Amino acid sequence: MPLAIICDPVIPITPVMDELARQNVACELIENGNQVELWVEDPAVVDGVKKYYQAYCQSQQHSLSVVNLKSVPITTLVLVVTLAVALITQLGEQRLDWFLIAHMQYYPRDWFLYDGVQVVWHAISPIFLHFSAEHLIFNGLMFWYLGGLLERATGRVFFIVLLLVLALAGNVSQLLVSGPLFGGLSGVVYGFMGFACVYQVGVMNLGVPKGLFYLAGGWLILGLSGVFSAMGLFNLANAAHVGGLLSGLVMSALYVAQAKVKSKK
C-alpha cells in the first residue's frame, strides 16, 4: 500500500475521504508521529489522488475563514485597510487628500508632490482608495485570490517587497499620465497576474486558470482602446494597469532566475 499524500493539519480531510469513497478508492489514514498520512491500496491512483488533494487544498485557501486570514496576514491587512479607507472616504466622496498620491490644484489645474515623510505614505496610499462598491468588490476579490496564493508561495518578506514595488510602479505611472485623481488595487492585481503567469511556467503551478489571464489581458486591451470611455461607461486607470503588469513581469523574472540559481547549488 503506497503513500499518496501527507495531510495538511489545518485543512479538513473528511471531504477528501468522502470523495475517495464515492470513487471506490480503497485508502486508509495513518497517524505517523505528528503527521497524518493517506495511503491507497492501488499504486495506479496515487498521482490522481495527489492532484485532487492539491486542487482541494488550493480551493480551501480561498475561503474567508479565520485560519486562512491568519495564514496570509499581509493580504488580510491590505484588505482591512482598504475597507477602512472605503468607509473613511465614503467611496471617494470625502477626505480624498488623505490618500491621493499628490496635492491637487484645481485652478489652474496642476499637482504637487507631498513634502517630507508624507511622500512615503502617499506614494502607496492610492491603492487603498476606491470610488464605487463594484470597484471595491472586484479588486478586493481578485487581491484576496491572487495575493493569498503569492504570499503563501513566495513568503511574507518577498511578498511585502513585491506589493510595494507593484503599488509604486502603478501609482507613479498613472500620476505621470493623468494626474493624482485615481485609486484602486487594480494596478497591483495586474502585477500579481503578470507575476503568477511567469511563476506558473518557471517554478510551479499555482492553480490559476489560463482563462483568468486571458480575461485580464482582454480587459486591459479594451481599456487601452478607449472603448469604455467612448461608450460613456467609465474610465480605467490604464497606466496603473500597465505599470503594475510590467513590474510584475520583471519581479517574477528575477524571482524565477534566483530560484533556479539556488536549485543548482
Side-chain angles (χ1 to χ4, degrees):
M1 180 178 284
L3 172 65
I5 57 174
I6 297 175
C7 303
D8 189 321
V10 301
I11 297 179
I13 190 62
T14 303
V16 175
M17 298 300 293
D18 292 342
E19 180 62 27
L20 293 179
R22 281 194 291 270
Q23 299 293 329
N24 296 318
V25 176
C27 59
E28 182 180 358
L29 283 177
I30 299 176
E31 291 189 14
N32 186 3
N34 294 325
Q35 66 186 27
V36 177
E37 301 171 345
L38 177 65
W39 295 71
V40 295
E41 187 173 294
D42 184 359
V45 304
V46 169
D47 288 341
V49 171
K50 285 182 177 178
K51 290 179 180 178
Y52 170 73
Y53 184 72
Q54 182 183 25
Y56 167 73
C57 289
Q58 288 175 341
S59 68
Q60 292 297 301
Q61 291 172 356
H62 303 316
S63 62
L64 287 174
S65 65
V66 174
V67 171
N68 282 339
L69 290 171
K70 288 182 177 180
S71 67
V72 285
I74 309 305
T75 301
T76 300
L77 177 62
V78 170
L79 290 174
V80 168
V81 174
T82 300
L83 289 173
V85 171
L87 293 174
I88 291 169
T89 65
Q90 295 296 295
L91 291 173
E93 294 293 331
Q94 58 191 29
R95 301 185 182 92
L96 279 180
D97 54 315
W98 292 7
F99 305 101
L100 294 179
I101 192 173
H103 279 295
M104 283 195 65
Q105 177 177 293
Y106 292 93
Y107 185 81
R109 193 65 176 262
D110 205 350
W111 55 265
F112 306 95
L113 293 177
Y114 286 88
D115 298 324
V117 295
Q118 293 184 84
V119 74
V120 178
W121 161 249
H122 286 280
I124 305 299
S125 59
I127 68 172
F128 304 118
L129 184 62
H130 291 80
F131 297 97
S132 69
E134 297 83 359
H135 190 206
L136 176 64
I137 291 169
F138 181 79
N139 281 350
L141 289 175
M142 291 306 302
F143 186 89
W144 169 251
Y145 175 68
L146 293 170
L149 285 175
L150 293 179
E151 185 173 349
R152 289 185 178 93
T154 64
R156 292 173 191 170
V157 174
F158 182 86
F159 183 75
I160 291 172
V161 174
L162 175 64
L163 177 62
L164 293 176
V165 169
L166 298 181
L168 190 59
N171 289 344
V172 172
S173 298
Q174 192 63 43
L175 173 67
L176 296 177
V177 170
S178 67
L181 190 57
F182 67 89
L185 280 165
S186 52
V188 175
V189 167
Y190 265 97
F192 284 168
M193 285 281 188
F195 189 97
C197 184
V198 176
Y199 187 96
Q200 290 201 151
V201 174
V203 180
M204 63 173 289
N205 184 18
L206 293 170
V208 181
K210 291 182 179 179
L212 187 59
F213 297 125
Y214 297 146
L215 178 63
W219 189 261
L220 179 62
I221 292 171
L222 287 174
L224 291 171
S225 71
V227 64
F228 295 127
S229 56
M231 295 172 63
L233 297 176
F234 44 76
N235 293 316
L236 296 176
N238 294 309
H241 297 170
V242 174
L245 176 61
L246 293 178
S247 58
L249 292 172
V250 171
M251 290 292 289
S252 61
L254 293 174
Y255 185 92
V256 170
Q258 181 189 39
K260 289 184 176 180
V261 170
K262 285 184 177 180
S263 66
K264 291 179 180 178
K265 291 183 179 180

